[in-house]
Amino acid sequence: MAENQEQRLGQVVAFDAHAGLGDIKDQQGTVWPFHCVSLSDGSRSVEIGAHVKFTVRFHVMRDEAFDIEVVAAS
């Protein structure tokens, strides 16, 4: 479980708008699943390829990305 709440940087590598589910790949290559309600802007939609910052928390039997915020590519 990754409960340390540190901010991570990554890129959205998959997103299904109908299901609201996606994946973010962080800078170390780990892929974190997320649900659209974890997008901090409330939009419930994000583009594949978007650069994001996020935290990881345990949720329903697995670690997931939360507090996801789209950032400018660096």
Side-chain angles (χ1 to χ4, degrees):
M1 290 192 289
E3 290 273 347
N4 62 9
Q5 299 295 314
E6 75 181 49
Q7 286 266 303
R8 299 169 189 253
L9 297 174
Q11 188 171 17
V12 177
V13 294
F15 184 68
D16 179 334
H18 180 72
L21 300 173
D23 293 311
I24 296 171
K25 186 180 224 180
D26 69 18
Q27 292 178 316
Q28 288 72 36
T30 303
V31 176
W32 302 99
F34 71 92
H35 188 271
C36 65
V37 297
S38 295
L39 296 165
S40 62
D41 67 2
S43 69
R44 297 199 178 202
S45 182
V46 65
E47 295 291 323
I48 294 173
H51 293 269
V52 295
K53 65 180 178 179
F54 62 99
T55 58
V56 173
R57 295 196 311 249
F58 186 77
H59 183 255
V60 190
M61 300 180 59
R62 67 180 182 180
D63 289 332
E64 295 184 18
F66 281 87
D67 307 318
I68 302 163
E69 182 180 338
V70 176
V71 297
S74 50

